[in-house]
Amino acid sequence: MHFVAMLAFHLHARRQMHTVTNRAELLKRFAEHPELLGELAAIFLEDAPGRLAAVQAGVEQRDPAALQSAAHALRGSAANFGAKRVVEAALRLELMGGGCDLTGADEALADMMVVLEKLATELRALAGAKSP
Amino acid sequence: MKILLADDDRVLTHLLSTQLRAKGAEVTVAQDAMQALMTAMRSPPDVIVLDIQMPGGTGIEALRKLKRSVRTSSIPVVVLSGSVEPDVSGAVKALGAVEFLLKPVDPEVLYEVLCGILPPKARAG
């Protein structure tokens, strides 16, 4: 039994390492209004493709101001869910735009897309579970 | 309490407006600076909660215009920002904002700030 509990703890810790949101923390934060979390997740999922497209356009067109603005918007929206890895990835692009130095922007964009997709997957699960 | 909430982040405006309405506030949402200015002129709220980094960098300009207009200059403005720039708080307060909150914003914290700014009559209304 002790071994099973240890294994469960280990698996939970490993899962947390690979997630971009803290599901338990989010559910606790919205414990009094669980339907609100689903609504917020649904709104994020609706807006995320447009926000990502704006970031991609900023990188592809090598437009620092557009990149800074688009990455800032995406960062702010992700921050509402405490998605630190997405926030950090978006901030990296935002700072590149702000500094007018887009060296490494393609790689930074690719990195951000990976964690953004993870966030979308996790929010889809939350939205599906919590939507009315 | 009549609140005009101006932010282009629909996740945040839904979160804040839902939580503030649950506390009895009347919340109008504006998704950009122009809409915020027009709404504030047409129907002045008790307080304005304004994101200064909306697309086009129009939030700061909106704050300036709100503070220049006789119709809106006395309305307290609480500024929200996710800016990583230093001393944004000092800069917006110099332009007339009464308070500055860094994003992400906790609805409870915002409500407490608004209650601290507004007179009891406006809070009850």
Side-chain angles (χ1 to χ4, degrees), chain A residues 35-60:
Chain A
E35 72 292 344
L36 180 56
L37 179 56
E39 290 167 12
L40 297 174
I43 293 170
F44 182 88
L45 292 168
E46 202 176 299
D47 290 355
R51 296 207 183 276
L52 175 60
V55 174
Q56 285 175 313
V59 172
E60 285 164 11

Side-chain angles (χ1 to χ4, degrees), chain B residues 23-72:
Chain B
K23 293 180 182 298
E26 185 184 327
V27 185
T28 302
V29 174
Q31 300 285 354
D32 59 50
M34 180 59 77
Q35 194 186 354
L37 284 168
M38 287 173 67
T39 304
M41 299 285 180
R42 192 175 59 243
S43 176
D46 296 316
V47 63
I48 297 169
V49 179
L50 176 72
D51 173 23
I52 52 157
Q53 282 189 297
M54 287 185 277
T58 50
I60 284 283
E61 193 51 38
L63 176 59
R64 282 201 185 96
K65 285 180 178 166
L66 286 166
K67 289 298 157 190
R68 271 194 215 126
S69 165
V70 288
R71 194 161 167 75
T72 56

Side-chain angles (χ1 to χ4, degrees), chain A residues 4-115:
Chain A
V4 173
M6 288 282 287
L7 182 63
F9 177 80
H10 176 71
L11 289 173
H12 176 72
R14 272 185 66 90
R15 202 159 44 238
Q16 285 299 100
M17 278 172 62
H18 293 95
T19 58
V20 293
T21 58
N22 185 331
R23 185 182 168 89
E25 176 61 35
L26 272 176
L27 292 174
K28 185 181 164 191
R29 204 172 119 205
F30 289 92
E32 288 181 30
H33 311 281
E35 72 292 344
L36 180 56
L37 179 56
E39 290 167 12
L40 297 174
I43 293 170
F44 182 88
L45 292 168
E46 202 176 299
D47 290 355
R51 296 207 183 276
L52 175 60
V55 174
Q56 285 175 313
V59 172
E60 285 164 11
Q61 293 163 19
R62 290 296 189 259
D63 182 340
L67 174 61
Q68 182 185 22
S69 175
H72 175 84
L74 186 57
R75 175 168 70 87
S77 208
N80 292 307
F81 301 96
K84 285 182 185 172
R85 288 165 65 194
V86 179
V87 168
E88 286 166 7
L91 178 60
R92 193 173 154 207
L93 286 160
E94 184 183 338
L95 292 174
M96 286 179 176
C100 294
D101 181 1
L102 304 196
T103 309
D106 294 297
E107 293 79 4
L109 173 62
D111 291 345
M112 192 194 71
M113 287 172 70
V114 170
V115 286

